[in-house]
């Protein structure tokens, strides 16, 4: 059994009914504990205006109406507006002052890093002035304009709202942003969309020109980025809209981003975050106006998307958790029946287009020290060469620091044939001698050339293929490059001539001749000269040394000096039956047991 309504309540209900009936015909009333429901006949053409007038009539009386459509009936539900104690404007002012000082600190730190003064006097008059002007004021202006956009649109829609509350934070930004407090429920979808969209669009409208100014100042300041990356360096990713700005105002070099450009970047990022269609964010307001109750599914999808993005940027999972804690559901406006209209739907779609061009999946990322480098021979084919025993082969290697930091690179021999020598030196220090190892120090993007000198021992095997491996290692990282020099050991450059030309010998007698053996190598060679069985019939010959004199022999040992000559003798004997005419005798040259060539000597047999 429903208890009777107290007389005082009946009077209040009748009063409220009179307010409702002024705008909508009432045909039934139902009373619950804290809400009175009025079943009304509604004209869809005048619903929006009539309900807005009803809301304005009830607001001074402390009532909040809400209209729904359930079971084929329009119901106006009326509840008392909860009594709220609003904070004094001095609270807003206090938060503003504290946030201003934390952002001044952030601005000073950013300006000091940008200017690279290194004076240690962070709070000089110049640093304070430039930090405030170039960073603090631009970023506070973007955040403030964003919230004031909400504030004035709420006032336009007769929704009470607080002035912005700025939230202080420690550097690098000095703030967690700002917000306003809506003190009335949102009246309808149009107001919900307009209030939600006004903030981001106003903030973006200021962030874009500030970004242009910041890029101009970046070029004007032309502060080169550090050549070498140090520890704890953080990079930022540009959104599409910021990349478009850099195409409009191209940065003329590898410059540090001006503080004003960074403030604009932060403002654009804040715009994107606020436009995420989830919960009570600005994007959540817009999505609720566009999609109605289906917004909750989109909110869950966005929360899952943020969790996935946390694989690339850890802060997104914290943001997703915050969204889930605060709730992904969005309360409906008081009038959730009146249509939004094509114009506002277009505005809603455009705001989500702004989200797409301003959002960055990984806003910040750590910049790690990269010690990569390239190593290659200077000349094509420089890894393949020829060398003579005791000779040298020179090559040059190009080393380029392709990393982003100071790199110390150590070059050394890894392997080589027995008794081969490998010398290394920096080409820029060619006056210095070669060493067994070499360390080159390169800043980021710098390069150098290294001279390499390979020396084969005098007893290197002629006509053999040998390999020498050189390694370059970054001392601060496990990065190594190797080059293999493929060397072919060739016959030494030896020439000869016979004094007097062809050896004249008479059949039945003998003749002597002196042969000069010349070397063009920088290394002396110990050769064995030996007679060869390939000779004219009935002709024989023996060899002998001249200095010191030696006996006739089938083979002799001579030393050919570096870039010099040695003489040896040939004793040719022709039997009486030898065939008159020209012929050739051959002398084999043997170096370290290997046949390196023949000396062909012309003879003339006479009768």
């Amino acid at each position: 059994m429903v208890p009777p309504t107290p007389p005082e309540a009946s009077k209040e209900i009748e009063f409220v009914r009179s307010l409702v009936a002024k705008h909508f015909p009432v045909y039934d009333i139902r009373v619950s504990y804290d809400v009175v429901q009025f079943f009304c006949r509604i004209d869809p053409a005048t619903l929006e205006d009539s309900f807005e007038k009803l809301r304005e009539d009830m607001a001074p009386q402390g009532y909040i109406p809400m209209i729904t459509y359930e079971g084929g009936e329009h119901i106006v539900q009326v509840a008392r507006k909860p009594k709220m104690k609003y904070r004094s404007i001095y609270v807003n002012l206090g938060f503003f002052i504290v946030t201003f000082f934390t952002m001044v600190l952030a601005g000073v730190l950013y300006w000091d890093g940008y200017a690279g003064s290194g004076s240690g006097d962070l709070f000089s008059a110049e640093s304070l002035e430039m930090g405030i002007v170039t960073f603090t004021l631009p970023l506070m202006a973007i955040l403030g304009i964003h919230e004031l956009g909400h504030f004035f649109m709420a006032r336009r829609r007769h929704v009470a709202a607080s002035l912005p509350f700025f939230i202080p934070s420690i550097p690098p930004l000095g703030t967690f942003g700002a917000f306003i407090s809506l003190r009335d429920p949102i009246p309808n979808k149009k107001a919900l969309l307009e209030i939600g969209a006004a903030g981001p669009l106003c903030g973006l409208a200021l962030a874009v020109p500030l970004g242009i100014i910041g890029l101009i100042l970046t070029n004007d300041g032309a502060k080169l980025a550090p050549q070498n990356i140090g520890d704890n360096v953080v990079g930022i990713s540009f959104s599409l809209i910021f990349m478009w700005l850099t195409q409009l105002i191209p940065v003329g070099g590898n410059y540090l981003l001006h503080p004003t450009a960074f403030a604009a970047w932060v403002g654009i990022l804040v715009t994107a975050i606020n436009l995420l269609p989830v919960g009570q964010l600005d994007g959540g307001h817009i999505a609720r106006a566009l999609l109605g109750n289906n917004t909750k599914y989109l909110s869950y999808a966005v929360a899952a998307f943020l969790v996935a993005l946390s694989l690339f940027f850890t802060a997104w999972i914290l943001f997703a958790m915050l969204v889930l804690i605060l709730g992904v559901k969005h309360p409906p406006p008081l009038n959730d029946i009146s249509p939004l209209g094509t114009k506002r739907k277009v505005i809603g779609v455009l705001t989500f287009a702004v989200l797409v061009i301003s959002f960055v999946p990984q806003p910040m990322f750590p910049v790690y020290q990269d010690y990569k480098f390239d190593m290659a021979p200077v000349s094509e084919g420089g890894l393949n060469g020829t060398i003579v025993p005791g000779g040298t082969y020179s090559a040059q290697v190009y080393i380029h620091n392709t990393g982003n930091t100071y790199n110390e690179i150590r070059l050394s021999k890894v392997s080589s044939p027995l008794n081969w020598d490998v010398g290394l030196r920096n080409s820029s220090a060619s006056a210095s001698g070669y060493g067994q190892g070499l360390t080159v120090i390169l800043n980021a993007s710098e390069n150098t050339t290294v001279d390499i000198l390979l020396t084969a021992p005098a007893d290197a095997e002629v006509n053999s293929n040998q390999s020498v491996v050189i390694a370059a290692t970054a001392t601060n990282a496990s990065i190594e490059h190797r080059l293999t020099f493929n060397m072919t050991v060739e016959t030494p450059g030896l020439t000869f001539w016979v004094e007097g030309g062809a050896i004249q010998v008479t059949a039945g007698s003998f003749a002597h001749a002196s042969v000069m053996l010349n070397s063009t190598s920088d290394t002396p060679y110990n050769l064995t000269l030996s007679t060869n069985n390939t000779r004219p019939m009935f002709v024989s010959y023996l060899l002998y040394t001249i200095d010191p004199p030696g006996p006739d022999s089938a083979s002799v040992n001579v030393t050919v000096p570096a870039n010099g000559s040695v003489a040896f003798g040939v004793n040719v004997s022709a039997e009486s039956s030898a065939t008159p005419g020209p012929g050739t005798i051959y002398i084999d040259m043997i170096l370290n047991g290997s046949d390196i060539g023949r000396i062909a000597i012309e003879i003339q047999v006479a009768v």
Side-chain angles (χ1 to χ4, degrees):
M1 181 175 178
V2 180
T5 304
E8 296 81 4
S10 297
K11 290 180 180 180
E12 184 178 9
I13 292 171
E14 185 59 31
F15 173 70
V16 174
R17 180 186 180 283
S18 66
L19 293 177
V20 175
K22 181 179 176 182
H23 303 283
F24 303 108
V26 177
Y27 63 85
D28 192 11
I29 301 175
R30 294 179 188 174
V31 180
S32 62
Y33 174 72
D34 55 356
V35 173
V36 180
Q37 295 180 321
F38 298 91
F39 291 77
C40 305
R41 294 182 177 86
I42 301 298
D43 180 3
T46 60
L47 170 60
E48 183 177 347
D49 290 338
S50 297
F51 183 79
E52 184 62 19
K53 292 176 182 178
L54 172 62
R55 189 180 72 88
E56 292 175 3
D57 287 347
M58 286 190 167
Q61 307 299 328
Y63 297 110
I64 298 175
M66 182 175 184
I67 187 167
T68 60
Y69 184 71
E70 302 173 12
E73 295 182 294
H74 289 91
I75 305 172
V76 175
Q77 303 182 64
V78 180
R80 288 191 181 94
K81 183 177 181 180
K83 291 184 178 181
M84 303 288 291
K85 184 177 180 181
Y86 300 115
R87 298 187 182 277
S88 167
I89 192 174
Y90 294 108
V91 176
N92 302 72
L93 182 60
F95 272 97
F96 176 83
I97 292 172
V98 173
T99 304
F100 177 78
F101 280 109
T102 57
M103 291 185 67
V104 166
L105 176 60
V108 168
L109 291 173
Y110 197 93
W111 175 258
D112 184 72
Y114 172 77
S117 61
S119 63
D121 187 6
L122 285 176
F123 298 100
S124 65
E126 180 183 0
S127 293
L128 283 170
E129 177 185 357
M130 297 306 297
I132 292 171
V133 171
T134 63
F135 180 79
T136 304
L137 292 181
L139 183 52
M140 290 197 80
I142 294 171
L143 298 177
I145 289 295
H146 179 118
E147 298 306 325
L148 288 175
H150 292 311
F151 176 81
F152 286 112
M153 185 55 70
R155 292 288 294 270
R156 181 175 178 273
R157 280 292 181 173
H158 305 289
V159 176
S162 70
L163 288 171
F165 290 91
F166 282 84
I167 309 172
S169 172
I170 60 174
L173 299 181
T175 180
F176 284 127
F179 68 93
I180 66 168
S181 173
L182 294 178
R183 296 171 177 175
D184 287 331
I186 304 294
N188 52 50
K189 293 178 182 179
K190 293 179 180 178
L192 183 60
L193 185 141
E194 291 173 357
I195 294 173
L201 295 181
C202 287
L204 186 67
L206 181 59
V208 168
L210 283 176
I212 294 173
I213 293 172
L215 291 173
I216 293 173
L217 293 174
T218 297
N219 284 326
D220 186 59
K223 299 286 186 180
L224 288 173
Q227 189 174 18
N228 298 309
I229 296 297
D231 295 328
N232 303 317
V233 176
V234 176
I236 60 174
S237 302
F238 286 172
S239 60
L240 282 174
I241 191 170
F242 209 93
M243 285 192 286
W244 293 341
L245 293 182
T246 60
Q247 291 177 350
L248 179 65
I249 310 292
V251 177
N254 186 26
Y255 300 151
L256 289 173
L257 199 62
H258 191 273
T260 302
F262 181 61
W265 178 88
V266 174
I268 293 173
L269 178 63
V270 168
T271 298
I273 292 173
N274 275 280
L275 282 175
L276 289 172
V278 61
Q280 295 288 324
L281 295 178
D282 298 339
H285 297 330
I286 299 167
R288 181 61 179 78
L290 291 171
L291 304 176
N293 287 326
N294 293 326
T295 306
K296 60 184 178 183
Y297 302 114
L298 179 59
S299 295
Y300 283 120
V302 171
F305 176 66
L306 293 176
V307 171
L309 285 183
S310 66
L311 295 174
F312 308 99
F313 187 60
T314 309
W316 287 130
I317 196 168
L318 300 177
F319 191 75
M321 291 174 60
L322 180 62
V323 166
L324 292 173
I325 290 171
L326 295 177
V328 295
K329 294 183 179 180
H330 192 293
L334 299 178
N335 174 10
D336 201 22
I337 300 174
S338 297
L340 193 57
T342 302
K343 183 175 73 173
R344 287 173 180 81
K345 287 180 180 178
V346 171
I347 293 173
V349 172
L350 289 177
T351 57
F352 285 125
V354 170
L355 167 62
V356 171
I357 65 175
S358 59
F359 185 76
V360 182
Q362 188 181 17
M364 295 182 177
F365 55 90
V367 180
Y368 298 107
Q369 291 175 317
D370 183 0
Y371 294 96
K372 289 198 289 288
F373 66 94
D374 289 335
M375 180 172 74
V378 170
S379 60
E380 187 176 351
L383 295 178
N384 301 306
T386 59
I387 194 169
V388 297
T392 60
Y393 176 81
S394 297
Q396 285 189 318
V397 171
Y398 174 80
I399 298 178
H400 179 210
N401 182 3
T402 58
N404 58 14
T405 190
Y406 167 96
N407 207 347
E408 186 176 287
I409 302 170
R410 176 70 180 173
L411 287 91
S412 61
K413 178 185 76 173
V414 175
S415 64
S416 67
L418 184 65
N419 296 327
W420 282 57
D421 183 66
V422 179
L424 303 164
R425 73 179 180 188
N426 199 315
S427 299
S428 61
S430 57
S432 62
Y434 288 92
Q436 297 296 311
L438 176 67
T439 298
V440 295
I441 297 174
L442 299 175
N443 290 316
S445 302
E446 281 189 343
N447 59 74
T448 190
T449 304
V450 173
D451 294 333
I452 297 178
L453 183 67
L454 307 182
T455 304
D459 59 355
E461 182 182 353
V462 178
N463 298 324
S464 65
N465 295 315
Q466 307 292 343
S467 296
V468 177
V469 180
I470 305 294
T473 306
T475 59
N476 293 315
S478 57
I479 299 175
E480 181 181 272
H481 293 291
R482 293 188 176 191
L483 292 178
T484 300
F485 290 87
N486 301 303
M487 308 303 300
T488 299
V489 182
E490 290 188 330
T491 301
L494 297 173
T495 58
F496 73 95
W497 70 90
V498 179
E499 292 184 1
I503 300 175
Q504 304 290 328
V505 59
T506 303
S509 66
F510 61 90
H512 296 275
S514 177
V515 180
M516 298 296 297
L517 186 60
N518 181 63
S519 171
T520 58
S521 174
D522 294 331
T523 302
Y525 295 114
N526 295 317
L527 300 179
T528 297
L529 306 178
S530 178
T531 59
N532 189 283
N533 290 329
T534 304
R535 61 182 182 271
M537 292 182 64
F538 307 112
V539 174
S540 62
Y541 61 100
L542 294 172
L543 309 175
Y544 60 90
T545 59
I546 295 177
D547 185 16
D552 291 348
S553 175
S555 66
V556 295
N557 295 319
V558 297
T559 298
V560 186
N563 297 305
S565 302
V566 64
F568 66 93
V570 180
N571 187 358
V572 181
S573 175
E575 297 180 19
S576 58
S577 57
T579 303
T584 305
I585 59 175
Y586 297 94
I587 301 172
D588 293 331
M589 294 185 295
I590 300 171
L591 176 64
N592 302 322
S594 298
D595 192 342
I596 63 171
R598 289 180 176 181
I599 299 174
I601 300 177
E602 301 295 326
I603 65 170
Q604 183 70 39
V605 179
V607 177

